[in-house]
Structures are given as structure tokens and as C-alpha cells.
């Protein structure tokens, strides 16, 4: 008789399917989070509502620093060219945000535009007292919610943090996972001074960031001029490579970042609803409203603690106390709405079910993006690719890749003497004999096991003189601080094949195995 009710109920229970993670985030925000935000005036206290461009936007980087720290030069270094509107100088060259983005033609667009690398100078000293004409910290907070990476740029000669810069960094709180630090112009000081400057920077940041984890700091000199002190050249190259890898991973992790930001927004909206409804419930119906309002604002900390205790909410989900008190001063508490459980239940269900399904889709999307080579390209990211100046080229396991002779052959005489001392039988030594010699390196067994797999080309459990020489060479590479390859490249083994033709068949079988 009522079979149609059960069928309809079953349809409602079926989880909604989403084409992509971003599509799912957009739908659950508009259907479950946005109604809660609108009902409790969330947008008047915190952040404007999210629109479609907030979900569809390409990865963005927010570059922030005090004037003359090299922000414009840093962008130019990445692009390897000037960009429209560029202006470089020791004085404050801008008091506004500039958005740099890809386009088919070079042009300057005033006003609002899609963003790639927004940047703005922080004033210091007397200059910061000049009114910018807009809420600088508020704009920074708006950007911080939407960008994928926040880069704070410091000059090795100017580590002082002005009052405005301090307020700017404080506006970025809640987005600590996005923040990276660059200590620029590090080539202008020697290695001893650099160590002291790095320590001073960490000490200064520790008083401002207030995070349990140490922020990642990249050292370098990001411009196209010769290094003044090149003692740290290797360090600068390694730091630049780490920074580039971090930036190249942004497209692949963009969906995960948006999901994480939406979770934080949903939790804040939920806490905000509890705060607003609690204030509404404590207001008198007729007389003494102004005095009660002042009392509630003054005792807002107690309201926070009560909400945390009753609803089991972590303190980290709550908005800044002072900021909330300031905003409440200008609000009419009589317009606040009482608690509406249906809206809160929708958000709780979204966090428990919808987010879990979207999380399960992310690995698959990342795998598809890796096949499509979604890394950042162009400019400095391609400048030294496939050349002798590629990072790590000719070093470690890649040593000898640009030579015509096999790199192992250069010290072959040393390895042959050791090999003969191990009393080979029929031109080979056993695994036990090789182990006794390889253990002298004091490397972990996991590393030595990897060396063995790479060296035992014919997989017979023994090593001939050629394989033993290769094993000793790989051990030396590891002892010098380099990583070992997962497998040999054709370039690495070309000279090996030419100099030791009897092993060519073994190498061919080795390549086919991988």
C-alpha cells in the first residue's frame, strides 16, 4: 500500500555522484554550507560568499613582502622576461595589489582580473602611517582564503618586521599550511653571516607566526645577475630546486587545497552559527537591550568556552576573540536568528559523508593529472632542462652521463684489487664475500640491498669484477650524500655496454625487467 514511500526514501538515500572533486565542492557549498552562512550573517563577519570562479580558478600564489625585498625581480626571474606594468626600484614602487596571469597577448588590465601571482609591498616606518584607502589586512585575508600558496619574501639585509607587516602576517593566520618563506639576496653575505641571518629570521618569525611547526624557509638569490659570494652556490641550487618542485605541485594538489579550505570554512560557519544563536538567546525581549549587548560582548570569551564545552568543539575552529568583539559592536543583536538544527545537521552530514566521498576521488584525479603532465612549465622552470646545467646533472648516479667513457672505469683499478683480494672462483665472488666488503661502508642494510639489486645485473646471486666495480661505485655515490636511482638509465649504462660487451645481454634483460 505504501510501497511508493519506501522507493522514494531509497532514492533520497542514494549518495549524489560528482563528475569531479571541484564540481562536488561547488554543489555541496551552495546546497549545504551557503544556507547556514546566509541564515546567521556569516558574510558580514568573515568572508563573502564563494562564487563559481572561486572553485574553477587555476592555482594562485600570493607574494607578500616589505618594499625592496625583490618581489618584482622574483616574478621576473620566474618568467625570464619583463611583464606589463613592471617597475623595479629601491623605493616603494606600489601601494596596491598587482595580478600577473597568463594571456595570449601582453597587456595591462586595470581593476579586477583573474589572478596568478598577486603581489603588494608592505610599507615600514613613517610610510605605513599613510592611509592606503582600503583595508589592506582585509584584502590579504581575502586572498589567503583563495590562493594555493603564500610566499613571504625577506631581504637578507633587512630582517626587521614593520608593524604593518606584522599585521599582514597575522591576517594570514589559519592558512599556515600555505605559507612558505624566501630569504632573498642571500648571495650578498658570506656563509657565516648567512647562518646568523637565518637564525635571526627564524627568531623574528617565531614571534609572529605562532605555529607549532617551523615554516619552510628557502635561501637563495632570485635574479639573473652573478652571485657575489658563490660559496653557497650548491645550497642555493638545491633550495631553488625544492621551491620549484613545491610550485610545480600546486596544479596537482589544487583540488585537495580547495577541499581543505572548504572544510575549514564549514567548521567556522558552524561555530559562527552557535555564537550568533547564543547571543540571540541571551538578549532580553524588551528593555535593557543596549546594556545586555555590551555585557555579552565583554563576556564573549565565556560564551566561547560554554559553546566549546556543550558542543565539543575545538578552540581552533573559533574566530579571533578581539576581532569578533569589534565586529559585534556595530551589529543589531535583535536581527540574529535562533539555532536551527536542520541547517547544522546538513553541514555535519556533509562533513561526515560528502567530504569522505570527495576525498576518495582525489587520488584518481591526481593520477590522471600526472599522466597529462600538469606541472608548471615555461620561464625558469624550463630554462636549464635537458642541458649540462640541469639540476643534479653530472652528479651522483648521473656522474659520467656526459662522458664517452664509463664513469666506473676511472677508478676500476681500485675495485679490481679489492675484488682479487676476495678470492673469486671462476671470475665471481659469492654473496657472502661481497657482503663482507660492502658492510665496511657502514651503510644500512636497506641501502646495501638496493646497491646489490642494481649491481647484480644477471641476477645469479654473485658478482663478477664488472658488477663488483659497479657496486663499489654506487656505494661511494651514497657515501657522498647522493641518492641512488631506482634503476639505471640508458645514459648511465651506455659506456658500460660498450666497454664490457659480455654484459650487454644482461643489461638488455635488466631493462626488459623494468
Amino acid at each position: 500500500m505504501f510501497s511508493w514511500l519506501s522507493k522514494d526514501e531509497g532514492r533520497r538515500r542514494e549518495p549524489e555522484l560528482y563528475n569531479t572533486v571541484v564540481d562536488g565542492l561547488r554543489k555541496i557549498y551552495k546546497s549545504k554550507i551557503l544556507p547556514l552562512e546566509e541564515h546567521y550573517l556569516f558574510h558580514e563577519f568573515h568572508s563573502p560568499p564563494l562564487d563559481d570562479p572561486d572553485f574553477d580558478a587555476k592555482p594562485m600564489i600570493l607574494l607578500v613582502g616589505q618594499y625592496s625585498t625583490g618581489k618584482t625581480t622574483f616574478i621576473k626571474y620566474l618568467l625570464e622576461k619583463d611583464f606589463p606594468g613592471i617597475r623595479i626600484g629601491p623605493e616603494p614602487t606600489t601601494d596596491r595589489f598587482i595580478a600577473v596571469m597568463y594571456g595570449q597577448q601582453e597587456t595591462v588590465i586595470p581593476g579586477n582580473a583573474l589572478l596568478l601571482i598577486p603581489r603588494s609591498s608592505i610599507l615600514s616606518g613613517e610610510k605605513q602611517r599613510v592611509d592606503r584607502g582600503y583595508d589592506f589586512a582585509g584584502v590579504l585575508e581575502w586572498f589567503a582564503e583563495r590562493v594555493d600558496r603564500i610566499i613571504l619574501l625577506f631581504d637578507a639585509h633587512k630582517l626587521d618586521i614593520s608593524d604593518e607587516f606584522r599585521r599582514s602576517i597575522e591576517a594570514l593566520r589559519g592558512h599556515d599550511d600555505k605559507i612558505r618563506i624566501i630569504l632573498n639576496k642571500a648571495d650578498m653575505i658570506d656563509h657565516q653571516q648567512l647562518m646568523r641571518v637565518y637564525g635571526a629570521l627564524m627568531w623574528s618569525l617565531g614571534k609572529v607566526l605562532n605555529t607549532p611547526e617551523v615554516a619552510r624557509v628557502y635561501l637563495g638569490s632570485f635574479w639573473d645577475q652573478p652571485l657575489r659570494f658563490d660559496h653557497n652556490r650548491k645550497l642555493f641550487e638545491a633550495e631553488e630546486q625544492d621551491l620549484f618542485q613545491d610550485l610545480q605541485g600546486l596544479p596537482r594538489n589544487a583540488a585537495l587545497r580547495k577541499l581543505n579550505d572548504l572544510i575549514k570554512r564549514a567548521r567556522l560557519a558552524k561555530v559562527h552559527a552557535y555564537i550568533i544563536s547564543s547571543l540571540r538567546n541571551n538578549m532580553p525581549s524588551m528593555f535593557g537591550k543596549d546594556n545586555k549587548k555590551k555585557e555579552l560582548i565583554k563576556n564573549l570569551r565565556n560564551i566561547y568556552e560554554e559553546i566549546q564545552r556543550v558542543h565539543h568543539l575545538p578552540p581552533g575552529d573559533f574566530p579571533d576573540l578581539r576581532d569578533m568583539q569589534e565586529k559585534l559592536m556595530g551589529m543589531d543583536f535583535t536581527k540574529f536568528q535562533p539555532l536551527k538544527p536542520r541547517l547544522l545537521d546538513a553541514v555535519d552530514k556533509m562533513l561526515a559523508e560528502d567530504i569522505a566521498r570527495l576525498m576518495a576521488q582525489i587520488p584518481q584525479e591526481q593520477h590522471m593529472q600526472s599522466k597529462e603532465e600538469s606541472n608548471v612549465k615555461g620561464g625558469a622552470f624550463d630554462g636549464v632542462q635537458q642541458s649540462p646545467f640541469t639540476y643534479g646533472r653530472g652528479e651522483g648516479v648521473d656522474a659520467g652521463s656526459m662522458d664517452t667513457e664509463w664513469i666506473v672505469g676511472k677508478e676500476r683499478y681500485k675495485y679490481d684489487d679489492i675484488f682479487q683480494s676476495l678470492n673469486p672462483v671462476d671470475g665471481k665472488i659469492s654473496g657472502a664475500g661481497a657482503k663482507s666488503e660492502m658492510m665496511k661502508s657502514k651503510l644500512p642494510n636497506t641501502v646495501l640491498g638496493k646497491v646489490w639489486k642494481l649491481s647484480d645485473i644477471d641476477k645469479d646471486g654473485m658478482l663478477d669484477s664488472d658488477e663488483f666495480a659497479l657496486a663499489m661505485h654506487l656505494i661511494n655515490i651514497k657515501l657522498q650524500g647522493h641518492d641512488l636511482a631506482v634503476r639505471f638509465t640508458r645514459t648511465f649504462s651506455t659506456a658500460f655496454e660498450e666497454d664490457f660487451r659480455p654484459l650487454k645481454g644482461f643489461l638488455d634483460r635488466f631493462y626488459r625487467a623494468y
Side-chain angles (χ1 to χ4, degrees):
M1 176 178 177
F2 298 104
S3 60
W4 61 273
L5 289 175
S6 60
K7 291 180 180 179
D8 187 61
E9 185 178 353
R11 283 195 297 268
R12 288 199 300 268
R13 289 180 179 177
E14 291 182 2
E16 185 176 359
L17 299 179
Y18 306 113
N19 295 327
T20 64
V21 173
V22 172
D23 179 60
L25 293 175
R26 178 176 25 241
K27 289 181 179 179
I28 64 176
Y29 171 75
K30 292 183 177 180
S31 62
K32 300 180 180 181
I33 302 177
L34 184 59
L36 181 69
E37 293 180 351
E38 292 175 339
H39 192 70
Y40 293 102
L41 308 178
F42 178 89
H43 308 135
E44 298 187 28
F45 285 85
H46 303 289
S47 177
L50 299 179
D51 296 321
D52 287 344
D54 294 315
F55 295 97
D56 299 329
K58 294 182 181 296
M60 298 183 289
I61 302 170
L62 176 63
L63 185 60
V64 184
Q66 299 182 120
Y67 75 93
S68 193
T69 54
K71 297 181 296 300
T72 303
T73 305
F74 175 77
I75 299 175
K76 179 183 176 182
Y77 181 80
L78 293 181
L79 300 178
E80 291 190 339
K81 61 183 298 185
D82 292 344
F83 56 88
I86 183 173
R87 182 184 172 195
I88 300 175
E91 76 284 356
T93 54
T94 178
D95 64 343
R96 58 185 62 88
F97 286 84
I98 296 178
V100 182
M101 60 176 292
Y102 174 79
Q104 296 295 331
Q105 297 179 347
E106 294 187 358
T107 183
V108 176
I109 304 176
N112 298 325
L114 296 178
L115 312 174
L116 174 62
I117 307 180
R119 57 167 290 271
S120 183
S121 297
I122 305 294
L123 304 178
S124 63
E126 188 67 25
K127 303 181 188 66
Q128 64 186 297
R129 296 190 179 94
V130 178
D131 185 14
R132 290 177 178 269
Y134 63 93
D135 183 6
F136 182 75
V139 175
L140 272 180
E141 186 176 357
W142 185 91
F143 274 120
E145 294 176 356
R146 289 160 173 80
V147 300
D148 297 77
R149 184 67 71 235
I150 301 171
I151 296 179
L152 302 181
L153 207 63
F154 288 86
D155 187 335
H157 287 95
K158 296 182 296 186
L159 293 182
D160 60 304
I161 299 179
S162 67
D163 293 339
E164 186 179 44
F165 199 14
R166 180 185 297 273
R167 291 193 298 270
S168 300
I169 296 177
E170 291 174 351
L172 304 176
R173 287 179 180 173
H175 306 281
D176 308 308
D177 56 318
K178 301 180 182 181
I179 295 178
R180 301 292 185 270
I181 314 294
I182 292 181
L183 182 58
N184 197 21
K185 306 180 184 179
D187 68 309
M188 305 301 289
I189 53 180
D190 60 33
H191 58 278
Q192 185 178 17
Q193 292 175 323
L194 180 59
M195 181 178 63
R196 294 175 179 173
V197 167
Y198 179 82
L201 175 62
M202 298 305 294
W203 180 79
S204 299
L205 289 173
K207 298 190 300 181
V208 181
L209 290 178
N210 293 324
T211 57
E213 298 182 1
V214 179
R216 177 64 167 96
V217 179
Y218 299 95
L219 308 176
S221 183
F222 297 93
W223 67 337
D224 56 2
Q225 299 301 313
L227 301 177
R228 180 175 179 183
F229 292 98
D230 62 348
H231 306 291
N232 298 311
R233 185 185 187 95
K234 288 289 184 182
L235 172 63
F236 295 159
E237 290 177 353
E239 292 287 278
E240 180 180 288
Q241 184 70 11
D242 289 348
L243 175 61
F244 283 6
Q245 289 179 352
D246 182 71
L247 298 182
Q248 285 180 317
L250 295 181
R252 186 172 59 256
N253 299 319
L256 180 61
R257 191 275 304 170
K258 292 174 182 176
L259 184 144
N260 184 53
D261 285 350
L262 193 69
I263 293 174
K264 290 191 292 185
R265 186 182 181 101
R267 293 168 65 175
L268 177 60
K270 180 180 173 182
V271 167
H272 178 79
Y274 282 124
I275 296 173
I276 295 300
S277 62
S278 178
L279 294 173
R280 175 67 176 83
N281 293 337
N282 284 284
M283 286 293 290
S285 57
M286 295 187 64
F287 304 108
K289 294 182 179 179
D290 291 340
N291 292 334
K292 188 60 176 179
K293 172 182 175 181
K294 294 177 182 179
E295 179 185 344
L296 290 173
I297 294 175
K298 181 180 179 180
N299 298 323
L300 186 60
R301 183 182 300 275
N302 296 334
I303 296 176
Y304 275 22
E305 294 174 353
E306 182 183 359
I307 294 174
Q308 293 171 20
R309 183 178 64 257
V310 173
H311 300 285
H312 308 289
L313 298 173
D317 288 351
F318 284 71
D320 181 75
L321 180 64
R322 291 185 178 180
D323 185 52
M324 192 68 175
Q325 287 174 328
E326 291 179 2
K327 292 176 180 177
L328 285 171
M329 291 296 294
M331 302 300 295
D332 184 0
F333 285 19
T334 59
K335 294 182 178 180
F336 292 169
Q337 299 293 330
L339 199 62
K340 201 169 186 179
R342 181 177 59 83
L343 294 176
L344 291 168
D345 291 342
V347 172
D348 287 335
K349 185 178 180 181
M350 178 271 296
L351 291 172
E353 300 178 5
D354 296 331
I355 293 298
R357 290 200 302 272
L358 291 175
M359 284 289 294
Q361 287 184 234
I362 287 180
Q364 182 179 1
E365 287 194 7
Q366 289 179 333
H367 179 68
M368 294 299 296
Q369 288 179 347
S370 63
K371 287 184 177 181
E372 297 172 1
E373 298 182 355
S374 60
N375 284 346
V376 180
K377 298 180 181 180
F381 296 98
D382 296 341
V384 294
Q385 295 297 321
Q386 305 301 325
S387 76
F389 301 98
T390 302
Y391 177 75
R393 187 71 187 275
E395 301 175 0
V397 74
D398 192 64
S401 62
M402 296 178 286
D403 297 339
T404 56
E405 298 181 1
W406 191 38
I407 185 64
V408 181
K410 294 182 178 180
E411 296 187 346
R412 178 65 183 270
Y413 66 94
K414 297 180 182 179
Y415 307 144
D416 285 345
D417 292 342
I418 299 175
F419 180 80
Q420 294 300 325
S421 69
L422 298 176
N423 302 318
V425 177
D426 295 331
K428 292 191 175 185
I429 57 175
S430 64
K435 179 180 178 180
S436 64
E437 182 63 31
M438 294 169 66
M439 290 289 288
K440 294 179 181 179
S441 66
K442 300 181 180 181
L443 289 172
N445 288 340
T446 53
V447 176
L448 294 177
K450 186 175 182 179
V451 170
W452 178 270
K453 291 180 180 179
L454 291 172
S455 304
D456 186 15
I457 304 297
D458 56 1
K459 309 301 180 186
D460 64 349
M462 306 177 72
L463 298 181
D464 61 18
S465 60
D466 300 329
E467 294 171 327
F468 180 77
L470 178 58
M472 298 305 294
H473 174 71
L474 294 176
I475 288 176
N476 287 333
I477 287 176
K478 189 61 181 178
L479 291 175
Q480 293 170 5
H482 301 286
D483 291 331
L484 298 178
V486 177
R487 58 181 182 271
F488 289 139
T489 62
R490 175 64 64 175
T491 303
F492 180 86
S493 302
T494 299
F496 183 98
E497 296 177 13
E498 294 176 352
D499 289 356
F500 304 98
R501 295 183 186 279
L503 283 176
K504 188 174 187 303
F506 298 145
L507 280 172
D508 289 340
R509 289 196 296 274
F510 176 81
Y511 290 130
R512 285 197 295 271
Y514 288 93

